[in-house]
Amino acid sequence: MELRLDDAELAAVDELADAIGRDYGRPDHPELLVEAPALACRLPGRIPHFLNRFRRTEAGHCLIRGHHVDQDRLGPTPGHWKNAEDPQRTLRFDVRLVLYSAVLGDVFGWATQQDGRIINDVLPIKGNETKQLGSASDVYMHFHTEDPFHEHRPDFVTLACLRNPDRTATTMGHIDDVAIDPRDAEVLFEPRFVITPDEAHLSSNNTLPHNAFAGIEELLHRPPPVAVLY
């Protein structure tokens, strides 16, 4: 599914995101996350209609095109997600992502990922070049489902590209497009597989202490068997 916004819709989205940014100051403000579904109703009508239809039909992935990113306003790419010099530079884009996501469901992040931020920055980090992390730069990421190790894994993951000078592709797949033998499918629905947390959830890749890391360690060393399909 794909939606291309026109200039009037883009201007309206930016105006709404800027106003909400002024009111709440940051994309993870608790009140903003509560009010986001109602605020999303103020988006140009085609956007919530498109996202709600996608949510109900579960078509694998959808794409909204046409957004403009002022690279001067965005500023330089930080060397690490924790070193963004001025979070206000991305506030419009962050609020916009929260609004779109709120049409799909409740917006949340992980206490054990990027210090609990709702909006995670995916950018190259020195030292992570060859790791299977979003901060890698010299390897292809393996096909994966976001956070399948957790019982409260998300139904949807929303992505917004702000800078991509190399035009690096994001490749997606959907299980409905995979031909699975019925006998194999039966096995995949059984809780006999082990999925462990990825490194992004480890305390070594965060900067703030949190008691949730104990649960991550438990899942890392004593993961319960789960089903691949459900």
Side-chain angles (χ1 to χ4, degrees):
M1 298 178 65
E2 181 173 318
L3 174 67
R4 180 174 290 277
L5 303 181
D6 59 33
D7 290 341
E9 289 170 322
L10 292 167
V13 170
D14 287 347
E15 182 179 357
L16 176 61
D18 287 345
I20 292 173
R22 289 191 296 269
D23 289 342
Y24 292 94
R26 65 182 205 265
D28 60 350
H29 191 290
E31 281 301 310
L32 172 56
L33 299 180
V34 170
E35 295 296 329
L39 293 170
C41 293
R42 295 160 54 186
L43 288 165
R46 285 204 307 155
I47 298 174
H49 176 79
F50 170 79
L51 290 171
N52 186 60
R53 186 173 182 81
F54 163 71
R55 178 179 68 87
R56 296 299 299 269
T57 58
E58 297 187 35
H61 70 275
C62 70
L63 181 63
I64 300 180
R65 291 186 179 275
H67 298 102
H68 303 302
V69 180
D70 184 339
Q71 294 296 316
D72 291 332
R73 171 178 176 152
L74 191 60
T77 302
H80 196 285
W81 55 262
K82 64 183 179 182
N83 294 334
E85 294 182 3
D86 183 5
Q88 294 295 310
R89 287 181 177 270
T90 61
L91 184 59
R92 168 189 287 180
F93 314 114
D94 295 341
V95 169
R96 187 168 64 197
L97 197 60
V98 168
L99 292 176
Y100 288 1
S101 301
V103 181
L104 300 174
D106 293 321
V107 181
F108 75 95
W110 299 102
T112 54
Q113 195 168 48
Q114 294 200 10
D115 291 345
R117 298 181 184 188
I118 293 294
I119 306 294
N120 286 186
D121 290 323
V122 181
L123 43 75
I125 295 178
K126 186 176 179 60
N128 290 355
E129 291 86 351
T130 60
K131 295 182 178 180
Q132 283 296 310
L133 294 170
S135 52
S137 56
D138 290 342
V139 294
Y140 285 105
M141 288 289 289
H142 298 156
F143 272 116
H144 62 282
T145 298
E146 294 294 333
D147 304 302
F149 70 92
H150 203 284
E151 61 177 332
H152 301 307
R153 54 192 172 275
D155 292 316
F156 300 101
V157 175
T158 51
L159 303 171
C161 181
L162 301 184
R163 177 170 291 158
N164 189 3
D166 297 327
R167 301 188 66 81
T168 301
T170 298
T171 304
M172 291 163 287
H174 192 251
I175 191 62
D176 286 356
D177 298 328
V178 180
I180 302 177
D181 185 282
R183 293 169 297 181
D184 295 332
E186 185 176 342
V187 172
L188 292 172
F189 273 99
E190 296 175 358
R192 58 163 71 185
F193 302 91
V194 169
I195 304 176
T196 57
D198 64 72
E199 292 186 35
H201 288 274
L202 301 181
S203 58
S204 58
N205 283 310
N206 288 265
T207 63
L208 300 179
H210 199 286
N211 57 14
F213 288 117
I216 293 295
E217 289 294 328
E218 179 71 18
L219 289 171
L220 186 64
H221 297 294
R222 285 176 289 277
V226 297
V228 171
L229 302 180
Y230 60 95

